Amino acid sequence: MRRMLLTVGLLAACHRDPGTSGSPPPTAQTSSTPSTSPPPPPTGTTTTVPAPQGLEDRAIYLVMPDRFADGDPDNDLLGDAGCFDPADPRRFHGGDLRGLTDHLDYLEELGVDAVWITPAAAQVGCGYHGYWADLVDPDDHAVEPKLGGEADLHALSDALHARGMALILDLVANHTGRGATLPDQHPDWFHDDADCAGSAQPDVDCSLSGLPDFDQDVPEASAYLTAQAADWVERYDVDAVRLDTAKHLPADWLGHTWVPALGDRPVVGEILDEGGYDLIEAYLDQGLPTAFDFRCGAPWWTPSPTAAPSISSPRGSTRRSTASASTARTSWSTCSTTTTCRGSRRSCRPARSTSRRRARRWRSPC
């Protein structure tokens, strides 16, 4: 298969001395004068900012909102008050969606044009990271109260799109948090010890770290998960999705049921595997559009047969990827230097532009 190689930059937080030009926002636990109100709306006529090209051309900034900036201290003690403790690395620290919205100028100055946030669903226990959702049937669409609420997530989405920036949302379809409501309501929707014992697919049929593990073969569970995902992306005008723990999901269900529920949005799945590429290829062959390659930090993307993927917004123009629609696979290297997987795809080496392979050089602003 002919493969074209591209490089994109995934930006992490940069730490500079306070007071320097372009300094990052104060962290949630150290902010002495946090903003308590959302940024004022723009005045005069709103100008539509054209959306940049497809996902592979964006500088993506990954944010865990709880650890970024506290825009509304009044929500710090909402939900489980015992889970707020800025001195404890396993508790909430006070960052929220409003704090992120307040600092989009800072991200834009870095050259960021896509913001990837960790899951925003209401959590059980002290899931500051977002991966322990407290799900319920019927789905209540709850946003974690310590991060704000639905209005704050809508405001973030609108503010990003007004700048021509994309919102990438992390979603989870594999499990709930321990103590979540849904497993008590529908225990038959989840794998049990018998499903795991002797399974030929322990990554799929067994619990991950003791978390309640969905059985996607149960029609009601499948319908709940696909409807929930579709609701998140439609409700908040999400441009692209990062799927947590993708390798713990049935590949055929993921590619043929869950991904189509998201429409034509780009989806990248987390397949944390240190073996060969057979597992990644299996998920791609079943219809997962993209998967992270943790051996070299490069996601593998399968374009549709008719068009390359794009991120579009009703506020901005739709622009297609520069990749050829006939390309069988494309890798996006997220290495922080000018390296990408090449050749056999089993090692990283400096990327050089050729007529068959292109690499866009990216330099960290840190």
Side-chain angles (χ1 to χ4, degrees), residues 10-311:
L10 180 63
L11 308 184
C14 305
H15 299 284
R16 299 184 179 88
D17 293 333
T20 59
S21 175
S23 59
T27 60
Q29 59 267 46
T30 60
S31 176
S32 58
T33 57
S35 173
T36 57
S37 60
T43 58
T45 302
T46 301
T47 301
T48 299
V49 182
Q53 210 157 348
L55 192 62
E56 78 281 4
D57 290 318
R58 292 176 179 264
I60 302 171
Y61 194 101
L62 170 59
V63 178
M64 186 178 293
D66 176 65
R67 302 301 167 91
F68 190 71
D70 192 350
D72 181 8
D74 290 342
N75 62 35
D76 292 348
L77 298 180
L78 296 181
D80 187 343
C83 285
F84 175 71
D85 184 356
D88 188 337
R90 298 188 178 185
R91 298 289 190 270
F92 283 86
H93 287 190
D96 49 38
L97 297 166
R98 186 176 296 180
L100 176 55
T101 303
D102 288 346
H103 290 94
L104 292 184
D105 283 344
Y106 160 69
L107 298 183
E108 199 166 31
E109 287 175 5
L110 291 181
V112 170
D113 53 13
V115 174
W116 160 15
I117 63 171
T118 50
Q123 298 292 290
V124 60
C126 302
Y128 65 89
H129 41 66
Y131 298 100
W132 296 344
D134 188 8
L135 301 182
V136 63
D137 182 32
D139 185 16
D140 60 2
H141 319 292
V143 172
E144 169 54 46
K146 285 182 170 58
L147 298 184
E150 290 192 24
D152 290 315
L153 188 49
H154 278 298
L156 172 63
S157 178
D158 290 344
L160 285 167
H161 291 145
R163 296 167 181 261
M165 300 167 76
L167 172 61
I168 303 174
L169 180 64
D170 215 316
L171 294 177
V172 183
N174 177 68
H175 58 267
T176 69
R178 296 184 192 90
T181 304
L182 191 61
D184 290 334
Q185 291 179 297
H186 300 291
D188 57 317
W189 289 11
F190 295 83
H191 289 121
D192 56 23
D193 292 340
D195 295 327
C196 178
S199 171
Q201 293 183 299
D203 280 339
V204 173
D205 296 331
C206 299
S207 171
L208 174 65
S209 302
L211 298 168
D213 190 78
F214 277 106
D215 184 350
Q216 288 79 13
D217 290 334
V218 176
E220 295 82 1
S222 172
Y224 177 92
L225 290 168
T226 53
Q228 182 204 45
D231 181 80
W232 275 103
V233 298
E234 293 293 340
R235 184 179 294 254
Y236 298 107
D237 198 11
V238 172
D239 300 295
V241 169
R242 182 265 187 185
L243 174 62
D244 182 63
T245 54
K247 79 167 186 177
H248 297 279
L249 301 168
D252 56 347
W253 175 83
L254 180 55
H256 298 290
T257 301
W258 194 85
V259 168
L262 304 180
D264 59 357
R265 293 172 177 82
V267 178
V268 56
E270 177 203 17
I271 299 182
L272 181 55
D273 186 79
E274 295 181 355
Y277 289 91
D278 290 346
L279 184 62
I280 293 177
E281 294 284 357
Y283 276 84
L284 297 178
D285 290 342
Q286 287 293 335
L288 176 65
T290 316
F292 281 113
D293 171 12
F294 286 88
R295 298 185 65 185
C296 196
W300 290 93
W301 156 56
T302 308
S304 70
T306 57
S310 66
I311 291 179

